[in-house]
Amino acid sequence: IQFTCGDCLSELFFLHHEVALAACDSPRLVFRLPLAQVQDSLSMRAVQWPVTISPEIAGRWRWLGTTAAQFVPDRPLPLGTAFTVTVPVGIRTVSEDVTEKDFSWSFETLRPRVLSTEPEEWNGDAGPTTRVMLHFNREMDLASAKDSLTLYEEMKTSQPSSASVTKTGTGTSAVPPGNVRNVPIKTVTYGTKDVDDKKVTDKMTLVITSAEPLKYETNYTMMVLAGIRGMEGPLGSAEHFSLHFR
């Protein structure tokens, strides 16, 4: 991300990975002019300066060269959390130039997102006992999930409903178009996975069971509202997600 802060500060980077790694998921500051002596940059000596990250994270800044510094957290950054990096005026370079004004930049760590589903989009093999499985990119909070999931049945009419051609994925509408009925959900539970030939709880998978048998040859939409939260951090998913099947 390019920005200007006097004649000194050139760039600020945040490397955003789906797996939080202390050596990777951290901000880097890159200056146009050297701030560190060569011997300090070669040794990656800790940086002592007034740059702050809010909310506060335990860790340290280290040199990546004479013009760049990286924050190394003591532990992986918490997921689903917004942070602000503040670079104050007056940071001095080796040649005694200084940054001329304050600068701040915000970033977010990984929000929840649906990666895959069972059944898949527009799968036509659903029956009375079909359960919907949503596979996420991180461990999910069950309480939040129960308030964020809705199952709709498309009612049969003489004219085709526009719900039958709604695209899968994220969007801004919380209710599918067309003539639909809210189908009550009986349970929302975690899935399971095999680990060392044993079944263990998979908190990255949500299993949704309807309170009534699903009908053959009927279109259904599973809606995941924006804001569904993971086990960690206050930030939920950024957009609605919809799955269509029959």
Side-chain angles (χ1 to χ4, degrees):
I1 297 177
Q2 298 280 347
F3 64 88
T4 300
C5 186
D7 292 326
C8 301
L9 197 53
S10 172
E11 296 175 292
L12 187 150
F13 295 98
F14 177 68
L15 304 184
H16 194 132
H17 296 268
E18 295 203 355
V19 179
L21 301 175
C24 297
D25 282 10
S26 57
R28 292 190 298 169
L29 294 172
V30 181
F31 292 79
R32 290 198 182 100
L33 301 175
L35 272 75
Q37 300 291 346
V38 174
Q39 60 270 26
D40 292 334
S41 65
L42 292 177
S43 63
M44 289 190 172
R45 185 175 299 176
V47 181
Q48 302 298 326
W49 59 2
V51 176
T52 60
I53 300 178
S54 179
E56 187 176 354
I57 310 168
R60 64 184 179 87
W61 289 90
R62 68 176 182 181
W63 293 115
L64 297 179
T66 60
T67 61
Q70 179 185 34
F71 183 79
V72 182
D74 290 346
R75 61 184 62 186
L77 299 180
L79 301 176
T81 304
F83 294 92
T84 299
V85 179
T86 301
V87 183
V89 65
I91 292 182
R92 194 169 299 276
T93 70
V94 171
S95 59
E96 298 300 313
D97 293 296
V98 296
T99 54
E100 298 176 351
K101 56 184 177 181
D102 295 333
F103 179 83
S104 63
W105 178 63
S106 297
F107 64 87
E108 298 176 355
T109 50
L110 189 67
R111 288 176 179 251
R113 179 169 58 88
V114 177
L115 297 180
S116 62
T117 65
E118 298 175 48
E120 296 180 347
E121 172 72 357
W122 284 125
N123 180 286
D125 297 328
T129 61
T130 295
R131 300 184 303 170
V132 175
M133 302 179 108
L134 303 175
H135 303 286
F136 287 81
N137 59 344
R138 45 174 297 193
E139 293 187 345
M140 301 303 295
D141 177 64
L142 269 185
S144 173
K146 292 175 181 178
D147 295 332
S148 303
L149 299 170
T150 308
L151 179 61
Y152 294 99
E153 174 191 343
E154 181 182 340
M155 306 302 292
K156 297 183 184 298
T157 61
S158 57
Q159 296 295 325
S161 167
S162 58
S164 63
V165 295
T166 303
K167 293 183 178 180
T168 303
T170 58
T172 58
S173 176
V175 179
N179 184 19
V180 295
R181 178 180 72 91
N182 192 325
V183 179
I185 292 175
K186 182 179 180 180
T187 59
V188 179
T189 60
Y190 290 127
T192 60
K193 59 183 178 181
D194 293 319
V195 177
D196 296 330
D197 297 324
K198 294 181 180 179
K199 291 287 186 181
V200 299
T201 300
D202 180 8
K203 293 184 178 181
M204 296 175 68
T205 297
L206 297 179
V207 181
I208 300 95
T209 303
S210 170
E212 61 186 48
L214 301 186
K215 302 172 184 177
Y216 291 111
E217 301 300 321
T218 300
N219 294 336
Y220 290 93
T221 298
M222 172 59 68
M223 185 68 66
V224 184
L225 296 181
I228 186 171
R229 296 192 307 277
M231 294 286 290
E232 187 178 27
L235 298 180
S237 59
E239 298 178 300
H240 302 311
F241 175 88
S242 58
L243 164 70
H244 309 90
F245 63 96
R246 61 182 286 120

